Amino acid sequence: DSGVTQTPKHLITATGQRVTLRCSPRSGDLSVYWYQQSLDQGLQFLIQYYNGEERAKGNILERFSAQQFPDLHSELNLSSLELGDSALYFCASSPSGLALNEQYFGPGTRLTVT
Amino acid sequence: AQTVTQSQPEMSVQEAETVTLSCTYDTSENNYYLFWYKQPPSRQMILVIRQEAYKQQNATENRFSVNFQKAAKSFSLKISDSQLGDTAMYFCAFSNYQLIWGAGTKLIIKP
């Protein structure tokens, strides 16, 4: 158990809909990272937040947005969903804002868009 | 641009054998970290081992060890006495200001 929690575990929704994925980092960790992993693919970095502020942006679509709240939990919002958005979405956390520290991953949210 | 290359898409070995997974990276930075992560069929991402670039000594965690060649920008993972539970995707990652991931190597341990 990494100490990072993600909810929900599974999500099935229709095209065009909007969903919110939630992540709680390990106690004391200030950075949250979001990744997308499609079937049999590597990890695609989406976005990083550090202590409430956006720190780095990766290949995140304009239909996707994220935020980190004062209690450090983070939410990833996916809107106008398409079939291709079906994937495993991971949240990871680390103590600092720099990626020099290892990242600890949550169990992921499996999103299926039908 | 910093890149990480894992040249072996898939490997399989017999249980109890030793296997080495390759990883090379490209960077002009001098201070960085390297990681190996494991993703078993459960899809959970698990940190296996980490190496600081400024340390010459290779990191070791039980049956897992690395061969870090800084000049060659190589960071291979050796798994000794492989077990069925080692079956997983293995990802190499380079970290400076962001974590850069390799494409992964699928390792299958056969009974």
Side-chain angles (χ1 to χ4, degrees):
Chain A
D1 185 358
S2 67
V4 179
T5 60
Q6 288 187 249
T7 56
K9 202 167 185 177
H10 300 278
L11 200 49
I12 301 173
T13 189
T15 54
Q17 295 298 305
R18 181 179 189 274
V19 297
T20 297
L21 314 183
R22 183 188 168 103
C23 167
S24 292
R26 293 188 322 157
S27 177
D29 283 359
L30 298 178
S31 268
V32 169
Y33 305 79
W34 285 98
Y35 292 91
Q36 180 192 57
Q37 186 181 35
S38 301
L39 192 63
D40 293 331
Q41 299 285 319
L43 290 166
Q44 291 290 324
F45 168 66
L46 296 178
I47 198 164
Q48 177 201 357
Y49 277 82
Y50 172 70
N51 204 20
E53 301 285 329
E54 183 183 304
R55 176 60 68 96
K57 221 168 187 176
N59 300 321
I60 188 166
L61 300 171
E62 283 191 15
R63 301 183 285 110
F64 296 1
S65 65
Q67 55 184 325
Q68 187 179 29
F69 295 88
D71 67 352
L72 300 177
H73 91 271
S74 178
E75 292 181 356
L76 178 67
N77 300 295
L78 314 176
S79 61
S80 302
L81 285 167
E82 301 175 358
L83 295 177
D85 297 327
S86 294
L88 191 55
Y89 290 84
F90 283 108
C91 165
S93 74
S94 70
S96 76
L98 295 177
L100 284 175
N101 297 113
E102 55 266 37
Q103 296 178 16
Y104 294 90
F105 283 77
T109 292
R110 184 177 298 280
L111 174 67
T112 302
V113 182
T114 60
Chain B
Q2 294 155 339
T3 58
V4 176
T5 302
Q6 293 180 249
S7 58
Q8 306 148 312
E10 185 168 326
M11 297 182 71
S12 67
V13 297
Q14 294 294 136
E15 193 177 7
E17 289 183 348
T18 294
V19 59
T20 299
L21 308 183
S22 302
C23 174
T24 59
Y25 58 95
D26 186 25
T27 183
S28 57
E29 301 291 335
N30 195 48
N31 185 30
Y32 51 86
Y33 285 44
L34 294 159
F35 305 97
W36 278 99
Y37 281 86
K38 164 185 175 180
Q39 188 176 38
S42 66
R43 306 295 297 273
Q44 172 77 50
M45 290 292 288
I46 302 165
L47 177 67
V48 175
I49 201 165
R50 95 175 200 169
Q51 173 80 43
E52 294 91 335
Y54 63 87
K55 287 188 178 178
Q56 291 189 340
Q57 186 172 7
N58 289 322
T60 298
E61 287 287 339
N62 301 314
R63 298 182 295 107
F64 298 87
S65 61
V66 299
N67 182 4
F68 174 47
Q69 304 284 333
K70 191 172 184 180
K73 296 179 183 174
S74 170
F75 182 60
S76 60
L77 175 71
K78 186 171 87 171
I79 305 174
S80 303
D81 185 27
S82 58
Q83 300 174 359
L84 297 179
D86 296 332
T87 292
M89 281 289 287
Y90 286 81
F91 292 96
C92 175
F94 164 95
S95 172
N96 181 242
Y97 290 101
Q98 281 193 12
L99 206 56
I100 310 296
W101 295 83
T105 295
K106 184 175 183 179
L107 176 64
I108 299 169
I109 309 298
K110 297 181 288 188

